[in-house]
């Protein structure tokens, strides 16, 4: 899509004040995917030169400009730490309804900021207890839990001029047992329901996250593995009609049914791993 209203592209490090019609540009695959008549200036983040991935004993920092290809390459590298967490990362990377050619350009941060309900980087970030590092034009930073970053379809907690600098995935979540289940209308189609589960710690706390079926991420957590009835009851309570997506890819009652069914599969899979 040609953004014919854009008049200027500037370096993302420019001190120019934010104005109406500005947008941050990383990979651009979401930005250029549809008409955006209100855009006048793009602020290019690629000049920052942020390292795609930074690994420490505390976990992984994923730069907002890290491409899906770079993230998937790390996740599928044998011998690197956190095999369970890396498997979930790889599964989410492969949940994109796009070709591998797009993965070479699309970024993890861009997918989060696009805030599409089926955004797989949102699923990954929430499942692995991620923290979003948000930066303002004045350099001030704040931390936002990934589960709270997306506020609705196409909307986030970012204020005008703020950008997503990186996503941090903690080592504890990466080391825990994790599982992902997904349904789409066809093999490479958009997710209509994506459920992740993570179980770790001495008590075996289990957290289930629902995305794609909902307008924003929904999580439920249990001190230990719940019974099937307990899991179903908590999920039905946490998935009211107003939070369920209703579009051409699936109706709300069907999405809720899929979310509960996939959550039961996640619970069973994690119970077997203990």
């Amino acid at each position: 899509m040609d953004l014919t209203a854009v008049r200027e592209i500037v370096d993302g490090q420019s001190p120019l004040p934010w104005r109406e019609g500005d947008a941050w540009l990383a990979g651009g695959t979401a930005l250029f995917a549809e008409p955006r008549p209100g855009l006048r200036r793009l602020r290019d983040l690629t000049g920052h030169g942020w390292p795609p991935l930074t690994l420490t004993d505390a976990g992984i920092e994923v730069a907002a400009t890290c491409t899906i290809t770079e993230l998937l390459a790390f996740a599928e590298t044998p011998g690197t730490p956190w095999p369970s967490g890396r498997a979930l990362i790889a599964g989410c990377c492969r949940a994109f309804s796009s070709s591998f050619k797009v993965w070479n350009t699309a970024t993890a941060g861009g997918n989060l900021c696009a805030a599409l309900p089926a955004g797989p980087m949102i699923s990954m970030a929430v499942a692995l207890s991620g923290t979003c590092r948000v930066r303002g034009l004045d350099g001030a930073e704040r931390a936002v839990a990934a589960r709270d970053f997306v506020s609705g379809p196409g909307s986030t907690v970012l204020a005008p001029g703020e950008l997503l600098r990186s996503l941090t995935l903690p080592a504890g979540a990466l080391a825990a047992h994790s599982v992902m289940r997904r349904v789409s209308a066809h093999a490479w189609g958009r997710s209509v329901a994506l459920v992740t589960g993570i179980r770790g710690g001495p008590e075996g706390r289990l957290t289930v996250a629902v995305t794609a079926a909902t307008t924003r991420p929904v999580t439920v957590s249990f001190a230990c593995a719940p019974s099937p009835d307990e899991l179903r009851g908590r999920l039905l309570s946490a998935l009211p009609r107003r939070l369920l997506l209703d579009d051409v890819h699936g109706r709300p009652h069907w999405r809720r049914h899929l979310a509960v069914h996939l959550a039961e599969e996640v619970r069973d899979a994690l119970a077997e791993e203990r």
Side-chain angles (χ1 to χ4, degrees), residues 7-268:
R7 296 291 178 262
E8 188 179 12
I9 300 177
V10 299
D11 191 320
Q13 301 178 74
S14 169
L16 291 170
W18 188 267
R19 69 188 186 196
E20 186 176 355
D22 279 8
W24 295 109
L25 171 66
T29 56
L31 197 62
F32 285 86
E34 58 186 46
R36 299 182 186 272
L39 288 189
R40 297 293 181 270
R41 180 170 65 185
L42 301 180
R43 307 174 75 116
D44 188 2
L45 292 173
T46 57
H48 282 278
W50 297 326
L53 296 163
T54 304
L55 276 65
T56 68
D57 290 341
I60 307 171
E61 183 178 26
V62 183
T65 49
C66 175
T67 66
I68 306 308
T69 296
E70 290 168 329
L71 186 58
L72 182 60
F74 157 75
E76 296 187 335
T77 299
T80 47
W82 311 303
S84 181
R86 286 190 293 105
L88 189 142
I89 291 171
C92 288
C93 286
R94 295 191 177 281
F96 273 85
S97 58
S98 57
S99 72
F100 69 91
K101 296 178 182 178
V102 174
W103 299 354
N104 287 315
T105 304
T107 63
N111 191 247
L112 275 160
C113 293
L116 299 176
M121 295 296 96
I122 301 171
S123 307
M124 177 195 74
V126 173
L128 295 174
S129 304
T131 299
C132 298
R133 180 180 166 194
V134 174
R135 176 182 293 175
L137 284 174
D138 60 358
E141 294 189 351
R142 62 188 177 104
V144 179
R147 66 178 179 273
D148 299 323
F149 184 76
V150 173
S151 55
S155 65
T156 70
V157 298
L158 292 174
E162 284 189 320
L163 62 87
L164 175 62
R165 166 62 181 86
S166 63
L167 169 70
T168 299
L169 305 175
L174 289 163
H177 299 291
S178 55
V179 172
M180 173 185 132
R181 294 290 186 270
R182 170 179 176 260
V183 169
S184 62
H186 56 87
W188 297 104
R190 178 178 299 183
S191 302
V192 294
L194 195 156
V195 178
T196 56
I198 183 167
R199 190 176 185 189
E203 298 84 16
R205 172 170 288 276
L206 187 145
T207 300
V208 174
V210 179
T211 51
T214 52
T215 57
R216 59 171 176 78
V218 172
T219 62
V220 293
S221 189
F222 305 87
C224 57
S227 68
D229 288 343
E230 184 181 4
L231 173 63
R232 181 178 182 83
R234 283 282 300 279
L235 275 177
L236 290 176
S237 177
L239 296 172
R241 170 66 179 79
R242 69 179 185 278
L243 290 183
L244 292 161
L245 200 61
D246 185 1
D247 61 12
V248 296
H249 301 285
R251 295 307 181 198
H253 67 279
W254 183 55
R255 290 179 185 270
R256 180 191 284 117
H257 167 76
L258 289 175
V260 173
H261 176 73
L262 294 178
E264 290 170 345
E265 289 189 358
V266 164
R267 174 202 170 278
D268 293 344

